[in-house]
Each structure stands twice: as C-alpha cells, then as structure tokens.
Short mmCIF file of all heavy atoms in Angstrom, two decimals:
data_model
loop_
_atom_site.label_atom_id
_atom_site.label_comp_id
_atom_site.label_asym_id
_atom_site.label_seq_id
_atom_site.Cartn_x
_atom_site.Cartn_y
_atom_site.Cartn_z
N MET A 786 129.35 126.04 99.00
CA MET A 786 130.57 125.59 98.35
C MET A 786 131.05 126.68 97.34
O MET A 786 130.22 127.32 96.71
CB MET A 786 130.33 124.28 97.60
CG MET A 786 130.08 123.10 98.45
SD MET A 786 129.97 121.59 97.53
CE MET A 786 131.63 121.00 97.67
N THR A 787 132.33 126.80 97.23
CA THR A 787 132.91 127.72 96.29
C THR A 787 133.02 127.08 94.89
O THR A 787 132.87 125.86 94.74
CB THR A 787 134.30 128.20 96.75
OG1 THR A 787 135.18 127.05 96.70
CG2 THR A 787 134.26 128.74 98.16
N ALA A 788 133.36 127.90 93.92
CA ALA A 788 133.57 127.37 92.55
C ALA A 788 134.73 126.37 92.52
O ALA A 788 134.70 125.39 91.87
CB ALA A 788 133.82 128.53 91.59
N LYS A 789 135.80 126.66 93.29
CA LYS A 789 136.91 125.76 93.34
C LYS A 789 136.51 124.46 93.97
O LYS A 789 136.94 123.37 93.48
CB LYS A 789 138.09 126.42 94.10
CG LYS A 789 139.32 125.55 94.19
CD LYS A 789 140.40 126.23 95.03
CE LYS A 789 141.58 125.36 95.25
NZ LYS A 789 141.32 124.21 96.04
N ASP A 790 135.73 124.48 95.03
CA ASP A 790 135.26 123.26 95.68
C ASP A 790 134.44 122.42 94.70
O ASP A 790 134.60 121.18 94.64
CB ASP A 790 134.42 123.55 96.87
CG ASP A 790 135.19 124.22 98.05
OD1 ASP A 790 136.43 124.03 98.09
OD2 ASP A 790 134.54 124.87 98.86
N LEU A 791 133.56 123.05 93.94
CA LEU A 791 132.73 122.35 92.97
C LEU A 791 133.58 121.74 91.87
O LEU A 791 133.32 120.63 91.41
CB LEU A 791 131.66 123.27 92.42
CG LEU A 791 130.59 123.68 93.41
CD1 LEU A 791 129.72 124.78 92.82
CD2 LEU A 791 129.74 122.49 93.83
N ALA A 792 134.57 122.47 91.43
CA ALA A 792 135.50 121.92 90.40
C ALA A 792 136.28 120.76 90.96
O ALA A 792 136.39 119.75 90.23
CB ALA A 792 136.50 123.01 89.92
N ASP A 793 136.77 120.83 92.19
CA ASP A 793 137.48 119.71 92.79
C ASP A 793 136.53 118.48 92.87
O ASP A 793 136.96 117.36 92.61
CB ASP A 793 137.98 120.10 94.16
CG ASP A 793 139.17 121.05 94.13
OD1 ASP A 793 139.92 121.01 93.13
OD2 ASP A 793 139.36 121.75 95.10
N LEU A 794 135.33 118.69 93.26
CA LEU A 794 134.33 117.60 93.39
C LEU A 794 134.13 116.96 91.99
O LEU A 794 134.13 115.71 91.87
CB LEU A 794 133.05 118.11 93.96
CG LEU A 794 131.94 117.08 94.16
CD1 LEU A 794 132.37 116.05 95.16
CD2 LEU A 794 130.67 117.81 94.63
N ALA A 795 133.96 117.76 90.95
CA ALA A 795 133.72 117.21 89.63
C ALA A 795 134.96 116.43 89.16
O ALA A 795 134.80 115.30 88.55
CB ALA A 795 133.46 118.34 88.64
N ILE A 796 136.16 116.91 89.45
CA ILE A 796 137.36 116.22 89.00
C ILE A 796 137.52 114.90 89.82
O ILE A 796 137.86 113.88 89.22
CB ILE A 796 138.60 117.11 89.24
CG1 ILE A 796 138.55 118.28 88.20
CG2 ILE A 796 139.88 116.32 89.10
CD1 ILE A 796 139.60 119.36 88.46
N ASP A 797 137.19 114.92 91.07
CA ASP A 797 137.25 113.72 91.92
C ASP A 797 136.25 112.68 91.46
O ASP A 797 136.55 111.46 91.51
CB ASP A 797 137.04 114.03 93.37
CG ASP A 797 138.19 114.83 94.01
OD1 ASP A 797 139.31 114.85 93.44
OD2 ASP A 797 137.98 115.44 95.07
N GLU A 798 135.11 113.08 90.97
CA GLU A 798 134.07 112.12 90.52
C GLU A 798 134.44 111.49 89.19
O GLU A 798 134.01 110.40 88.90
CB GLU A 798 132.74 112.83 90.45
CG GLU A 798 132.10 113.10 91.77
CD GLU A 798 130.74 113.74 91.69
OE1 GLU A 798 130.34 114.11 90.56
OE2 GLU A 798 130.13 113.94 92.73
N ASP A 799 135.20 112.22 88.34
CA ASP A 799 135.62 111.71 87.00
C ASP A 799 137.09 112.01 86.80
O ASP A 799 137.44 112.85 85.99
CB ASP A 799 134.73 112.37 85.95
CG ASP A 799 134.82 111.68 84.60
OD1 ASP A 799 135.57 110.68 84.48
OD2 ASP A 799 134.22 112.16 83.65
N PRO A 800 137.95 111.25 87.52
CA PRO A 800 139.37 111.57 87.48
C PRO A 800 140.08 111.34 86.13
O PRO A 800 141.16 111.88 85.91
CB PRO A 800 139.98 110.68 88.58
CG PRO A 800 139.01 109.56 88.70
CD PRO A 800 137.65 110.12 88.39
N PHE A 801 139.50 110.56 85.31
CA PHE A 801 140.17 110.27 84.01
C PHE A 801 139.73 111.17 82.89
O PHE A 801 140.25 111.10 81.79
CB PHE A 801 139.92 108.81 83.62
CG PHE A 801 140.50 107.84 84.63
CD1 PHE A 801 139.68 107.09 85.44
CD2 PHE A 801 141.86 107.70 84.78
CE1 PHE A 801 140.22 106.22 86.36
CE2 PHE A 801 142.42 106.87 85.72
CZ PHE A 801 141.57 106.13 86.51
N ALA A 802 138.77 112.06 83.13
CA ALA A 802 138.29 113.00 82.14
C ALA A 802 139.42 114.03 81.86
O ALA A 802 140.01 114.53 82.77
CB ALA A 802 137.05 113.72 82.58
N PRO A 803 139.68 114.31 80.61
CA PRO A 803 140.73 115.27 80.30
C PRO A 803 140.36 116.75 80.47
O PRO A 803 141.22 117.61 80.59
CB PRO A 803 141.07 115.00 78.85
CG PRO A 803 139.79 114.48 78.27
CD PRO A 803 139.15 113.71 79.39
N CYS A 804 139.09 117.03 80.50
CA CYS A 804 138.61 118.42 80.49
C CYS A 804 137.50 118.62 81.55
O CYS A 804 136.83 117.68 81.96
CB CYS A 804 137.99 118.80 79.14
SG CYS A 804 139.16 118.60 77.80
N LEU A 805 137.34 119.89 81.89
CA LEU A 805 136.24 120.31 82.78
C LEU A 805 135.71 121.65 82.27
O LEU A 805 136.50 122.58 81.99
CB LEU A 805 136.78 120.47 84.20
CG LEU A 805 135.79 121.04 85.25
CD1 LEU A 805 134.62 120.08 85.47
CD2 LEU A 805 136.53 121.34 86.57
N TRP A 806 134.40 121.76 82.16
CA TRP A 806 133.76 123.03 81.80
C TRP A 806 133.05 123.58 83.07
O TRP A 806 132.45 122.82 83.78
CB TRP A 806 132.75 122.83 80.70
CG TRP A 806 133.34 122.64 79.38
CD1 TRP A 806 133.65 123.66 78.47
CD2 TRP A 806 133.81 121.46 78.76
NE1 TRP A 806 134.23 123.12 77.34
CE2 TRP A 806 134.33 121.76 77.53
CE3 TRP A 806 133.87 120.17 79.19
CZ2 TRP A 806 134.90 120.83 76.67
CZ3 TRP A 806 134.40 119.22 78.34
CH2 TRP A 806 134.91 119.52 77.13
N ILE A 807 133.21 124.86 83.28
CA ILE A 807 132.70 125.52 84.45
C ILE A 807 131.64 126.54 83.98
O ILE A 807 131.86 127.26 83.00
CB ILE A 807 133.79 126.24 85.26
CG1 ILE A 807 134.72 125.15 85.83
CG2 ILE A 807 133.24 127.10 86.37
CD1 ILE A 807 135.86 125.68 86.63
N PRO A 808 130.52 126.69 84.67
CA PRO A 808 129.48 127.64 84.27
C PRO A 808 130.08 129.10 84.23
O PRO A 808 130.91 129.45 85.06
CB PRO A 808 128.42 127.56 85.37
CG PRO A 808 128.66 126.25 86.01
CD PRO A 808 130.10 125.93 85.87
N SER A 809 129.62 129.87 83.28
CA SER A 809 130.13 131.26 83.14
C SER A 809 129.96 132.06 84.38
O SER A 809 130.78 132.92 84.73
CB SER A 809 129.41 131.96 81.98
OG SER A 809 129.75 131.36 80.76
N GLU A 810 128.86 131.80 85.12
CA GLU A 810 128.56 132.55 86.32
C GLU A 810 129.64 132.33 87.38
O GLU A 810 129.78 133.16 88.29
CB GLU A 810 127.16 132.15 86.86
CG GLU A 810 126.04 132.46 85.93
CD GLU A 810 125.80 131.38 84.86
OE1 GLU A 810 126.42 130.28 84.95
OE2 GLU A 810 124.95 131.64 83.97
N LEU A 811 130.31 131.23 87.35
CA LEU A 811 131.34 130.92 88.35
C LEU A 811 132.78 131.00 87.82
O LEU A 811 133.70 130.75 88.60
CB LEU A 811 131.10 129.51 88.95
CG LEU A 811 129.75 129.34 89.68
CD1 LEU A 811 129.52 127.91 90.06
CD2 LEU A 811 129.72 130.28 90.87
N TRP A 812 132.96 131.29 86.55
CA TRP A 812 134.24 131.29 85.91
C TRP A 812 135.21 132.25 86.58
O TRP A 812 136.34 131.89 86.92
CB TRP A 812 134.11 131.57 84.40
CG TRP A 812 135.37 131.55 83.64
CD1 TRP A 812 135.89 132.59 82.96
CD2 TRP A 812 136.22 130.44 83.44
NE1 TRP A 812 137.07 132.20 82.36
CE2 TRP A 812 137.31 130.89 82.62
CE3 TRP A 812 136.26 129.11 83.86
CZ2 TRP A 812 138.37 130.07 82.23
CZ3 TRP A 812 137.31 128.31 83.49
CH2 TRP A 812 138.38 128.79 82.64
N VAL A 813 134.80 133.51 86.75
CA VAL A 813 135.67 134.57 87.34
C VAL A 813 136.03 134.19 88.78
O VAL A 813 137.16 134.32 89.20
CB VAL A 813 135.00 135.95 87.23
CG1 VAL A 813 135.84 136.97 87.99
CG2 VAL A 813 134.81 136.33 85.78
N GLU A 814 135.07 133.67 89.52
CA GLU A 814 135.33 133.24 90.88
C GLU A 814 136.32 132.13 90.95
O GLU A 814 137.26 132.13 91.72
CB GLU A 814 133.99 132.79 91.51
CG GLU A 814 134.18 132.30 92.94
CD GLU A 814 132.86 131.73 93.52
OE1 GLU A 814 131.78 132.07 93.01
OE2 GLU A 814 132.93 130.90 94.47
N PHE A 815 136.21 131.15 90.04
CA PHE A 815 137.14 130.04 89.93
C PHE A 815 138.51 130.55 89.65
O PHE A 815 139.52 130.13 90.27
CB PHE A 815 136.67 129.01 88.88
CG PHE A 815 137.65 127.94 88.58
CD1 PHE A 815 137.81 126.91 89.48
CD2 PHE A 815 138.54 127.98 87.49
CE1 PHE A 815 138.78 125.85 89.23
CE2 PHE A 815 139.46 126.96 87.28
CZ PHE A 815 139.57 125.93 88.17
N LEU A 816 138.66 131.43 88.66
CA LEU A 816 140.00 131.96 88.32
C LEU A 816 140.63 132.67 89.52
O LEU A 816 141.79 132.53 89.78
CB LEU A 816 139.89 132.94 87.11
CG LEU A 816 139.48 132.28 85.78
CD1 LEU A 816 139.31 133.35 84.75
CD2 LEU A 816 140.48 131.22 85.36
N ALA A 817 139.84 133.45 90.24
CA ALA A 817 140.37 134.18 91.37
C ALA A 817 140.80 133.22 92.49
O ALA A 817 141.84 133.42 93.13
CB ALA A 817 139.33 135.16 91.88
N GLN A 818 139.99 132.18 92.75
CA GLN A 818 140.31 131.22 93.82
C GLN A 818 141.51 130.42 93.51
O GLN A 818 142.15 129.93 94.44
CB GLN A 818 139.10 130.36 94.10
CG GLN A 818 137.93 131.15 94.76
CD GLN A 818 136.70 130.37 94.80
OE1 GLN A 818 136.58 129.27 94.20
NE2 GLN A 818 135.71 130.86 95.51
N THR A 819 141.78 130.10 92.22
CA THR A 819 142.89 129.24 91.86
C THR A 819 144.11 130.07 91.43
O THR A 819 145.16 129.51 91.09
CB THR A 819 142.50 128.27 90.75
OG1 THR A 819 142.02 129.02 89.63
CG2 THR A 819 141.44 127.32 91.24
N ASP A 820 143.96 131.43 91.38
CA ASP A 820 145.04 132.31 90.96
C ASP A 820 145.58 131.90 89.55
O ASP A 820 146.74 131.82 89.32
CB ASP A 820 146.17 132.35 91.96
CG ASP A 820 147.10 133.51 91.76
OD1 ASP A 820 146.64 134.54 91.24
OD2 ASP A 820 148.28 133.36 92.11
N ARG A 821 144.62 131.63 88.63
CA ARG A 821 144.95 131.27 87.25
C ARG A 821 144.49 132.36 86.29
O ARG A 821 143.54 133.11 86.60
CB ARG A 821 144.30 129.94 86.85
CG ARG A 821 144.64 128.75 87.72
CD ARG A 821 145.95 128.16 87.29
NE ARG A 821 146.13 126.79 87.65
CZ ARG A 821 146.52 126.40 88.84
NH1 ARG A 821 146.65 127.25 89.82
NH2 ARG A 821 146.76 125.14 89.15
N LYS A 822 145.09 132.42 85.12
CA LYS A 822 144.69 133.32 84.05
C LYS A 822 144.53 132.45 82.78
O LYS A 822 145.40 131.66 82.50
CB LYS A 822 145.72 134.41 83.82
CG LYS A 822 145.75 135.37 84.95
CD LYS A 822 146.69 136.51 84.71
CE LYS A 822 146.72 137.40 85.91
NZ LYS A 822 147.69 138.55 85.77
N PRO A 823 143.45 132.68 82.06
CA PRO A 823 143.25 131.90 80.82
C PRO A 823 144.36 132.14 79.77
O PRO A 823 144.85 133.28 79.68
CB PRO A 823 141.93 132.37 80.27
CG PRO A 823 141.25 133.06 81.43
CD PRO A 823 142.34 133.57 82.27
N ASN A 824 144.66 131.11 79.01
CA ASN A 824 145.65 131.25 77.92
C ASN A 824 144.94 131.86 76.69
O ASN A 824 143.82 132.31 76.76
CB ASN A 824 146.34 129.94 77.59
CG ASN A 824 145.38 128.84 77.13
OD1 ASN A 824 144.26 129.17 76.72
ND2 ASN A 824 145.81 127.63 77.13
N ALA A 825 145.62 131.81 75.53
CA ALA A 825 145.09 132.47 74.33
C ALA A 825 143.75 131.88 73.87
O ALA A 825 142.98 132.54 73.22
CB ALA A 825 146.11 132.37 73.21
N ILE A 826 143.49 130.61 74.16
CA ILE A 826 142.24 130.02 73.74
C ILE A 826 141.20 129.97 74.87
O ILE A 826 140.17 129.36 74.74
CB ILE A 826 142.44 128.59 73.19
CG1 ILE A 826 143.06 127.63 74.20
CG2 ILE A 826 143.29 128.64 71.95
CD1 ILE A 826 143.03 126.20 73.78
N GLY A 827 141.50 130.65 76.01
CA GLY A 827 140.53 130.78 77.05
C GLY A 827 140.52 129.62 78.07
O GLY A 827 139.53 129.45 78.82
N ALA A 828 141.57 128.78 78.09
CA ALA A 828 141.57 127.66 78.98
C ALA A 828 142.64 127.84 80.02
O ALA A 828 143.65 128.58 79.84
CB ALA A 828 141.89 126.36 78.19
N VAL A 829 142.47 127.16 81.18
CA VAL A 829 143.49 127.11 82.21
C VAL A 829 143.75 125.63 82.50
O VAL A 829 142.93 124.76 82.25
CB VAL A 829 143.09 127.87 83.51
CG1 VAL A 829 142.89 129.34 83.25
CG2 VAL A 829 141.84 127.28 84.14
N ILE A 830 144.91 125.37 83.06
CA ILE A 830 145.25 124.03 83.51
C ILE A 830 145.10 123.99 85.02
O ILE A 830 145.67 124.82 85.71
CB ILE A 830 146.67 123.63 83.12
CG1 ILE A 830 146.85 123.71 81.59
CG2 ILE A 830 146.98 122.18 83.59
CD1 ILE A 830 145.95 122.80 80.79
N TYR A 831 144.31 123.09 85.53
CA TYR A 831 144.06 122.93 86.99
C TYR A 831 144.01 121.45 87.28
O TYR A 831 143.20 120.72 86.65
CB TYR A 831 142.79 123.65 87.36
CG TYR A 831 142.41 123.44 88.84
CD1 TYR A 831 143.20 124.06 89.81
CD2 TYR A 831 141.33 122.69 89.20
CE1 TYR A 831 142.89 123.89 91.16
CE2 TYR A 831 140.99 122.58 90.55
CZ TYR A 831 141.76 123.13 91.51
OH TYR A 831 141.45 122.99 92.81
N ARG A 832 144.84 120.98 88.17
CA ARG A 832 144.89 119.58 88.56
C ARG A 832 145.01 118.67 87.29
O ARG A 832 144.35 117.66 87.14
CB ARG A 832 143.68 119.18 89.39
CG ARG A 832 143.69 119.79 90.78
CD ARG A 832 142.55 119.33 91.62
NE ARG A 832 142.52 117.88 91.76
CZ ARG A 832 141.49 117.23 92.31
NH1 ARG A 832 140.49 117.89 92.77
NH2 ARG A 832 141.51 115.90 92.36
N ASN A 833 145.88 119.06 86.38
CA ASN A 833 146.18 118.31 85.17
C ASN A 833 144.97 118.16 84.23
O ASN A 833 144.88 117.27 83.44
CB ASN A 833 146.76 116.96 85.46
CG ASN A 833 148.11 117.05 86.16
OD1 ASN A 833 148.91 117.98 85.82
ND2 ASN A 833 148.38 116.18 87.07
N LYS A 834 144.02 119.09 84.31
CA LYS A 834 142.85 119.11 83.45
C LYS A 834 142.86 120.45 82.72
O LYS A 834 143.24 121.48 83.19
CB LYS A 834 141.53 119.03 84.25
CG LYS A 834 141.43 117.87 85.19
CD LYS A 834 141.17 116.62 84.52
CE LYS A 834 140.93 115.53 85.52
NZ LYS A 834 141.59 114.29 85.18
N THR A 835 142.29 120.42 81.46
CA THR A 835 142.02 121.61 80.74
C THR A 835 140.66 122.11 81.16
O THR A 835 139.70 121.41 81.08
CB THR A 835 142.02 121.35 79.22
OG1 THR A 835 143.25 120.79 78.84
CG2 THR A 835 141.72 122.61 78.42
N VAL A 836 140.62 123.33 81.74
CA VAL A 836 139.38 123.87 82.30
C VAL A 836 138.99 125.06 81.47
O VAL A 836 139.80 125.93 81.20
CB VAL A 836 139.58 124.23 83.77
CG1 VAL A 836 138.26 124.71 84.38
CG2 VAL A 836 140.13 123.08 84.57
N ARG A 837 137.72 125.12 81.09
CA ARG A 837 137.19 126.21 80.28
C ARG A 837 135.86 126.72 80.74
O ARG A 837 135.19 126.01 81.53
CB ARG A 837 137.03 125.72 78.83
CG ARG A 837 138.25 125.33 78.16
CD ARG A 837 137.94 124.83 76.76
NE ARG A 837 139.10 124.33 76.14
CZ ARG A 837 139.41 124.48 74.86
NH1 ARG A 837 138.68 125.19 74.14
NH2 ARG A 837 140.52 123.93 74.39
N ASP A 838 135.51 127.90 80.30
CA ASP A 838 134.21 128.48 80.56
C ASP A 838 133.18 127.68 79.75
O ASP A 838 133.27 127.63 78.51
CB ASP A 838 134.20 129.95 80.14
CG ASP A 838 132.90 130.66 80.38
OD1 ASP A 838 131.87 129.97 80.57
OD2 ASP A 838 132.92 131.89 80.34
N GLY A 839 132.21 127.10 80.43
CA GLY A 839 131.19 126.25 79.72
C GLY A 839 130.03 126.93 79.18
O GLY A 839 129.17 126.36 78.59
N GLY A 840 129.91 128.26 79.42
CA GLY A 840 128.76 128.98 78.94
C GLY A 840 127.76 129.27 80.01
O GLY A 840 127.80 128.70 81.10
N PRO A 841 126.84 130.22 79.76
CA PRO A 841 125.88 130.62 80.79
C PRO A 841 124.88 129.50 81.08
O PRO A 841 124.53 128.71 80.22
CB PRO A 841 125.20 131.83 80.19
CG PRO A 841 125.41 131.71 78.74
CD PRO A 841 126.68 130.96 78.54
N GLU A 842 124.49 129.46 82.35
CA GLU A 842 123.43 128.51 82.82
C GLU A 842 123.73 127.07 82.53
O GLU A 842 122.84 126.27 82.23
CB GLU A 842 122.09 128.95 82.25
CG GLU A 842 121.67 130.35 82.66
CD GLU A 842 120.32 130.73 82.09
OE1 GLU A 842 119.55 129.85 81.69
OE2 GLU A 842 120.03 131.92 82.10
N THR A 843 125.02 126.70 82.58
CA THR A 843 125.40 125.29 82.39
C THR A 843 125.76 124.70 83.76
O THR A 843 125.75 125.40 84.79
CB THR A 843 126.63 125.14 81.47
OG1 THR A 843 127.73 125.86 81.99
CG2 THR A 843 126.33 125.70 80.07
N ASP A 844 126.12 123.44 83.82
CA ASP A 844 126.55 122.78 84.98
C ASP A 844 128.02 122.46 84.84
O ASP A 844 128.55 122.53 83.74
CB ASP A 844 125.71 121.51 85.19
CG ASP A 844 125.78 121.00 86.65
OD1 ASP A 844 126.41 121.67 87.47
OD2 ASP A 844 125.18 119.97 86.90
N PHE A 845 128.67 122.05 85.93
CA PHE A 845 130.07 121.58 85.81
C PHE A 845 130.00 120.34 84.99
O PHE A 845 129.24 119.39 85.29
CB PHE A 845 130.60 121.26 87.19
CG PHE A 845 131.02 122.54 87.97
CD1 PHE A 845 130.07 123.31 88.51
CD2 PHE A 845 132.34 122.87 88.04
CE1 PHE A 845 130.45 124.47 89.25
CE2 PHE A 845 132.71 124.02 88.70
CZ PHE A 845 131.80 124.83 89.26
N GLN A 846 130.79 120.22 83.95
CA GLN A 846 130.75 119.10 82.99
C GLN A 846 132.15 118.61 82.78
O GLN A 846 133.07 119.40 82.43
CB GLN A 846 130.15 119.61 81.67
CG GLN A 846 130.09 118.61 80.56
CD GLN A 846 128.89 117.69 80.70
OE1 GLN A 846 127.88 118.12 81.29
NE2 GLN A 846 129.01 116.51 80.21
N THR A 847 132.40 117.28 82.93
CA THR A 847 133.69 116.70 82.63
C THR A 847 133.58 115.92 81.32
O THR A 847 132.48 115.61 80.88
CB THR A 847 134.19 115.75 83.75
OG1 THR A 847 133.22 114.72 83.91
CG2 THR A 847 134.35 116.48 85.05
N GLY A 848 134.69 115.69 80.69
CA GLY A 848 134.73 114.87 79.51
C GLY A 848 135.57 115.55 78.44
O GLY A 848 136.11 116.62 78.62
N SER A 849 135.66 114.91 77.28
CA SER A 849 136.51 115.44 76.23
C SER A 849 135.72 116.32 75.25
O SER A 849 136.29 117.08 74.50
CB SER A 849 137.19 114.35 75.47
OG SER A 849 136.25 113.47 74.92
N ASP A 850 134.41 116.18 75.19
CA ASP A 850 133.65 116.93 74.22
C ASP A 850 132.30 117.45 74.77
O ASP A 850 131.35 117.56 74.04
CB ASP A 850 133.42 116.14 72.92
CG ASP A 850 132.78 114.80 73.22
OD1 ASP A 850 132.46 114.49 74.36
OD2 ASP A 850 132.59 114.03 72.27
N GLN A 851 132.29 117.77 76.02
CA GLN A 851 131.12 118.38 76.72
C GLN A 851 129.81 117.74 76.37
O GLN A 851 128.92 118.30 75.80
CB GLN A 851 131.07 119.89 76.49
CG GLN A 851 130.18 120.60 77.42
CD GLN A 851 130.20 122.06 77.29
OE1 GLN A 851 130.73 122.60 76.33
NE2 GLN A 851 129.60 122.75 78.18
N GLY A 852 129.71 116.48 76.69
CA GLY A 852 128.43 115.76 76.57
C GLY A 852 128.20 115.07 75.25
O GLY A 852 127.21 114.33 75.14
N GLY A 853 129.06 115.23 74.33
CA GLY A 853 128.90 114.55 73.04
C GLY A 853 129.44 113.13 73.09
O GLY A 853 129.90 112.69 74.16
N TYR A 854 129.41 112.46 71.98
CA TYR A 854 129.92 111.07 71.92
C TYR A 854 131.43 111.13 71.91
O TYR A 854 132.06 111.85 71.21
CB TYR A 854 129.42 110.42 70.61
CG TYR A 854 129.98 109.04 70.41
CD1 TYR A 854 129.55 107.94 71.15
CD2 TYR A 854 131.01 108.81 69.45
CE1 TYR A 854 130.05 106.70 70.97
CE2 TYR A 854 131.54 107.56 69.30
CZ TYR A 854 131.07 106.52 70.03
OH TYR A 854 131.59 105.25 69.91
N ARG A 855 132.00 110.34 72.80
CA ARG A 855 133.47 110.29 72.95
C ARG A 855 134.00 109.01 72.33
O ARG A 855 133.64 107.93 72.73
CB ARG A 855 133.87 110.35 74.39
CG ARG A 855 135.37 110.35 74.61
CD ARG A 855 135.73 110.46 76.06
NE ARG A 855 137.12 110.37 76.21
CZ ARG A 855 137.77 110.27 77.32
NH1 ARG A 855 137.11 110.32 78.45
NH2 ARG A 855 139.08 110.18 77.37
N ARG A 856 134.83 109.15 71.34
CA ARG A 856 135.47 107.96 70.70
C ARG A 856 136.53 107.41 71.56
O ARG A 856 137.29 108.10 72.18
CB ARG A 856 136.02 108.35 69.32
CG ARG A 856 134.98 108.77 68.36
CD ARG A 856 135.58 109.14 67.06
NE ARG A 856 134.57 109.91 66.30
CZ ARG A 856 134.79 110.50 65.17
NH1 ARG A 856 135.95 110.45 64.67
NH2 ARG A 856 133.84 111.15 64.59
N ARG A 857 136.66 106.11 71.58
CA ARG A 857 137.71 105.47 72.37
C ARG A 857 138.56 104.61 71.50
O ARG A 857 138.28 104.14 70.53
CB ARG A 857 137.08 104.59 73.47
CG ARG A 857 136.27 105.43 74.37
CD ARG A 857 135.79 104.63 75.56
NE ARG A 857 134.81 105.39 76.26
CZ ARG A 857 135.04 106.01 77.43
NH1 ARG A 857 136.20 105.93 77.97
NH2 ARG A 857 134.07 106.64 77.95
#
C-alpha cells in the first residue's frame, strides 16, 4: 500500500476526525502522490482534513489532538 492509500484508509475509518497525522517516513511520498505542498504551518488539506507530518516512527493518527483528550 502507498502512503496515499494508508491515508485514505485512516480517513475512511474515522470520517469525522478533523485531522490526520502521517509518519515522517511517508510524508514526502504522500505529498508527491497527492500533488500537495505544505502551507506556512506545514499542513495540507486532503479530503477536507488537515494533514500534517506526525513525526518519526509514528503511525497514521486521526483526531484533533493526536491521541490526547478531546473535549466535546
């Protein structure tokens, strides 16, 4: 699976999450496959989600605060 495929899978599994973090190892591949460039804060918009580099050796993570407590 490609980085884009894994991002699509993560978004499909949690469609209401506003954000997606992608492992650093796959970040450049994801940008190339989606033909996106990060904005000034390092995020891209993909499928109506804010997508960012999640750091080295992480997993694809959805949510608003990358694993922390989310207030509702």
